[in-house]
Amino acid sequence: MSEPFLSIIIPAHNEERRLPAALEQIDRFLRMWDRSAEVIVVENGSTDRTAEIAEAFARDHPYVRLIREPRRGKGLAVRRGMLAARGRYRYICDADLSTPIEEVVKFLPPQLDGFDIAIGSREAPGARRIGEPLYRHVIGRVFNAIVRFLALPDFQDTQCGFKMFRAEVAEDLFRVQQLDGMSFDVEVLFIARQRGYRIVEVPVTWYFNPESRVRLFRDSLNMFRDLFRIRWNAWKGRYARPEIRPPSASDPG
């Protein structure tokens, strides 16, 4: 499969409990779908059987690939998956499938067209949050207000774990993306906005998972710190496209 229509990238750290069900659900969806697809599981720093489960599933499902990344970090895992993908569209998909895989069609032509990046939103008109405790929602809205103030004023939900990128946009952005942790998506959207890419929020149905890996207070503190790192990286020019030096008369060839 040289260029599938869709690549689904699943960052997976210690996901031996949730990954089997997610892969089965994705497989059922792809069997009924009329588009070509690949699934890339990026195992990063797991201490359980995540890699073995992905490998076993891939043996019977050739569209599945496993990438082993010994270092931890969701941003690192997504970056590796995005740059290894071959699809025309590339979709980040959390292993808990808190947004059902069937909703991926909302992010793709013909339902959605004329975009560079589509981000799942739990706040856009028509979105639904199911089962989320009030305190989690309030903390999330406070963090989003900080994100809008410091980095991304135009977006109501940057932290939903489901996002779609056109292939050339993914390769442009993830080659310069720096952060390895949970704040990578704010960073990627910040770079994309600087470069003038078309970004749209897509309303999704999102189910709260009480087994969420997000450590609310610790991760929020780290992400708050990362917002300043993003600003610092931008000021230092770390997100600039590599300059292409024109050939000189002395260059060989």
Side-chain angles (χ1 to χ4, degrees), residues 88-104:
R88 278 184 278 165
Y89 295 93
R90 301 179 186 182
Y91 185 61
I92 307 170
C93 178
D94 284 346
D96 64 358
L97 288 185
S98 53
T99 289
I101 190 60
E102 290 78 8
E103 299 219 348
V104 71

Side-chain angles (χ1 to χ4, degrees), residues 104-159:
V104 71
V105 297
K106 294 181 178 180
F107 295 75
L108 292 165
Q111 286 194 227
L112 185 68
D113 212 343
F115 72 95
D116 296 307
I117 303 167
I119 63 176
S121 176
R122 297 161 292 187
E123 297 295 330
R128 292 194 301 154
R129 293 175 178 260
I130 298 174
E132 183 183 36
L134 178 61
Y135 77 93
R136 299 268 317 205
H137 182 65
V138 169
I139 292 174
R141 298 315 299 149
V142 169
F143 181 75
N144 179 258
I146 297 170
V147 169
R148 284 187 282 126
F149 179 72
L150 292 176
L152 296 167
D154 302 326
F155 305 109
Q156 292 296 317
D157 187 6
T158 57
Q159 297 311 113

Side-chain angles (χ1 to χ4, degrees), residues 2 17 19 37 45 51 63 86 89 92 97 113 126 170 173 181 245:
S2 59
R17 291 182 57 190
L19 187 60
Y63 64 84
R86 299 183 293 249
Y89 295 93
I92 307 170
L97 288 185
D113 212 343
L173 296 176
R245 182 174 62 89

Side-chain angles (χ1 to χ4, degrees), residues 41-55:
V41 179
V42 185
E43 182 277 313
N44 68 312
S46 296
T47 56
D48 65 2
R49 298 181 58 253
T50 296
E52 288 83 351
I53 288 167
E55 279 185 330

